[in-house]
Amino acid sequence: MRSGPAALLAFTLGVAGVLAISGPASAHNQIVSSTPAPHQTLTELPARFEIDTNEKLLDIGGAGRGFAFEIQDAAGRYYETGCVSIVDDSMFTTARLGAAGAYTIVYQLVSADGHSVSGRIPFDWDPSGDATVTRGVASPPGCHGAAGPATARPGNGGSEAGRDSAVPLADILWIGGILVTVAVAVIITLVVLTRRRPDDEPEETDGGPTSS
């Protein structure tokens, strides 16, 4: 019974270490708002199409590598310029659309923890008679005539961001840390449970051991 508190302490420290290590591994950016909003019906073009997240985006070198902001109609034609701007926790592009109908924004971004996240934002376009109409193209355009980006991989519907399937080095290191912490906690617990204290030895009488 004396080893119970020590074993409990070792177990608690092990669990606390696991929780402390595993927490940051899932801290990828979440979408908090977008223009247009999911399933919104636009009647006029906004100043720009925009996606806002809860943390600063990771734009290494300011080149927008790993970011994409595509606008597709129901026939699969593209209407974006191919240029994406990243400022702090937001990404945006020029708002362009064609004829009235159903459209989908397909986005990809790099979150603060280095994960690529992607998803879809469906919306409808019901313009007035004097709205500017853009002619769609068959493949994603590149910014200022550059080669177009790879098509963003869609995640879950709406504005829910989906984790990229690739496991980055940071997560591998976190998982390794979790395993080490658990192993140390198990070893400490085993040592505490198997250790025999001196005061646990059987006592002998002055006359030596008694016989039955």
Side-chain angles (χ1 to χ4, degrees):
M1 295 299 292
R2 294 176 183 176
S3 62
L8 179 60
L9 175 61
F11 177 79
T12 302
L13 290 175
V15 172
V18 170
L19 294 177
I21 290 174
S22 61
S26 60
H28 58 285
N29 288 44
Q30 299 293 326
I31 308 302
V32 296
S33 65
S34 64
T35 302
H39 307 292
Q40 179 181 0
T41 298
L42 294 178
T43 56
E44 59 182 13
L45 283 176
R48 61 190 185 187
F49 289 151
E50 182 171 357
I51 292 175
D52 302 310
T53 72
N54 63 330
E55 290 187 80
K56 186 174 181 178
L57 298 169
L58 184 61
D59 183 18
I60 298 176
R65 186 178 300 277
F67 290 80
F69 207 135
E70 300 172 357
I71 299 99
Q72 295 178 269
D73 64 12
R77 293 185 294 268
Y78 296 85
Y79 294 85
E80 70 274 7
T81 64
C83 299
V84 181
S85 298
I86 300 99
V87 178
D88 295 330
D89 57 0
S90 302
M91 57 182 290
F92 50 89
T93 191
T94 303
R96 303 198 311 179
L97 293 171
Y103 285 79
T104 303
I105 288 175
V106 183
Y107 65 86
Q108 181 170 289
L109 55 87
V110 183
S111 64
D113 65 351
H115 286 107
S116 293
V117 297
S118 58
R120 293 177 177 269
I121 303 174
F123 66 98
D124 293 308
W125 172 230
D126 186 17
S128 59
D130 58 353
T132 301
V133 174
T134 300
R135 183 178 179 179
V137 295
S139 60
C143 185
H144 305 303
T151 301
R153 285 171 289 179
N156 301 326
S159 62
E160 186 72 20
R163 286 284 293 275
D164 187 78
S165 59
V167 180
L169 177 62
D171 274 7
I172 296 175
L173 296 177
W174 285 120
I175 294 171
I178 292 172
L179 296 177
V180 171
T181 303
V182 172
V184 170
V186 170
I187 292 172
I188 293 174
T189 302
L190 291 176
V191 169
V192 171
L193 291 176
T194 58
R195 181 181 177 186
R196 194 169 187 178
R197 299 174 180 270
D199 55 2
D200 289 337
E201 297 290 340
E203 297 182 358
E204 295 183 359
T205 62
D206 295 338
T210 59
S211 58
S212 57

